[in-house]
Amino acid sequence: KAGVTQTPRYLIKTRGQQVTLSCSPISGHRSVSWYQQTPGQGLQFLFEYFSETQRNKGNFPGRFSGRQFSNSRSEMNVSTLELGDSALYLCASSDIQGGETQYFGPGTRLLVL
Amino acid sequence: AQSVTQLGSHVSVSEGALVLLRCNYSSSVPPYLFWYVQYPNQGLQLLLKYTSAATLVKGINGFEAEFKKSETSFHLTKPSAHMSDAAEYFCAVSTGGATNKLIFGTGTLLAVQP
């Protein structure tokens, strides 16, 4: 099976802009989670989707949003970008729910200037 | 609330030496515990997972971890380090239930000296 894919891999934006990142899970996986990785804060959970429903959300401002489509692909959006949003955004997918192993994509590296 | 503590942000070993990366967790319910490895400019790769089936868990690339409930620990070991083991290692905990949310430790950067 193909792994988790994320597009784009690299992105440069300026403050105030918005950005949309995409994630395609492993075929058959219905759960998609997003994480932000920064040198200062480490790996932090953003949100989780299962069957198109957000079932868990981390402690991030409302500028961060996401959605999941019927084919389990997911997108996350960050509006009104700030310098501190520069990070590696990782997507992970898993089979069902509850303690299942999450398989991570290569990430999208976002740089906000 | 769950949490993970990784002692030692940087660990350096010689090639062929024992690798020991420490992880302690806090969880109000029986946890699922994971070790992931991250190579530069890549995502996270699963090394191993504890799900209560056995306290000693064997993973990929010769790594293993032992779950010790009394010590709330899940330390990662490898008998003999290889240069290719140089990477960052993350311990993570999940409560399971209706979520796959992972809480990660701060990571340990492993250097392997020739």
Side-chain angles (χ1 to χ4, degrees):
Chain A
K1 282 186 181 179
V4 178
T5 58
Q6 293 186 244
T7 57
R9 291 293 311 279
Y10 303 92
L11 207 49
I12 300 175
K13 292 287 187 179
T14 55
R15 278 181 302 174
Q17 287 187 310
Q18 75 165 17
V19 67
T20 299
L21 311 182
S22 181
C23 171
S24 293
I26 292 171
S27 177
H29 284 191
R30 294 164 61 192
S31 171
V32 173
S33 298
W34 290 88
Y35 296 83
Q36 181 196 64
Q37 185 178 24
T38 60
Q41 299 299 317
L43 279 154
Q44 293 186 289
F45 172 79
L46 280 158
F47 26 66
E48 177 185 9
Y49 288 88
F50 183 80
S51 293
E52 301 179 65
T53 300
Q54 185 183 89
R55 63 179 182 182
N56 213 337
K57 189 177 190 303
N59 188 26
F60 280 82
R63 299 185 297 106
F64 291 81
S65 63
R67 59 177 175 169
Q68 187 180 33
F69 301 95
S70 58
N71 61 358
S72 294
R73 190 177 70 84
S74 177
E75 290 181 346
M76 66 163 283
N77 183 279
V78 187
S79 62
T80 320
L81 284 166
E82 301 178 359
L83 296 179
D85 297 333
S86 295
L88 180 67
Y89 290 89
L90 292 163
C91 168
S93 76
S94 50
D95 205 353
I96 42 178
Q97 63 179 18
E100 289 299 316
T101 299
Q102 291 194 55
Y103 297 90
F104 284 80
T108 294
R109 187 165 294 282
L110 172 65
L111 176 62
V112 182
L113 301 175
Chain B
Q2 294 175 295
S3 66
V4 175
T5 301
Q6 290 185 242
L7 292 175
S9 58
H10 292 78
V11 170
S12 182
V13 300
S14 298
E15 192 172 20
L18 171 72
V19 175
L20 171 60
L21 304 182
R22 300 179 186 275
C23 172
N24 288 88
Y25 70 92
S26 172
S27 177
S28 57
V29 297
Y32 294 87
L33 293 162
F34 305 81
W35 275 100
Y36 284 89
V37 61
Q38 186 176 35
Y39 297 98
N41 299 314
Q42 293 188 26
L44 302 175
Q45 180 182 5
L46 178 73
L47 280 176
L48 48 82
K49 171 186 178 182
Y50 168 76
T51 59
S52 78
T55 57
L56 183 63
V57 183
K58 293 188 182 299
I60 62 171
N61 301 338
F63 285 94
E64 63 182 34
E66 185 173 9
F67 174 74
K68 291 187 177 180
K69 185 177 179 180
S70 61
E71 300 177 8
T72 60
S73 68
F74 190 57
H75 302 330
L76 182 71
T77 60
K78 181 175 180 177
S80 177
H82 191 272
M83 296 295 289
S84 61
D85 295 327
E88 191 157 22
Y89 293 79
F90 294 92
C91 182
V93 64
S94 170
T95 55
T99 179
N100 289 313
K101 172 184 174 182
L102 290 172
I103 305 294
F104 284 93
T106 51
T108 297
L109 188 61
L110 175 66
V112 182
Q113 309 299 327

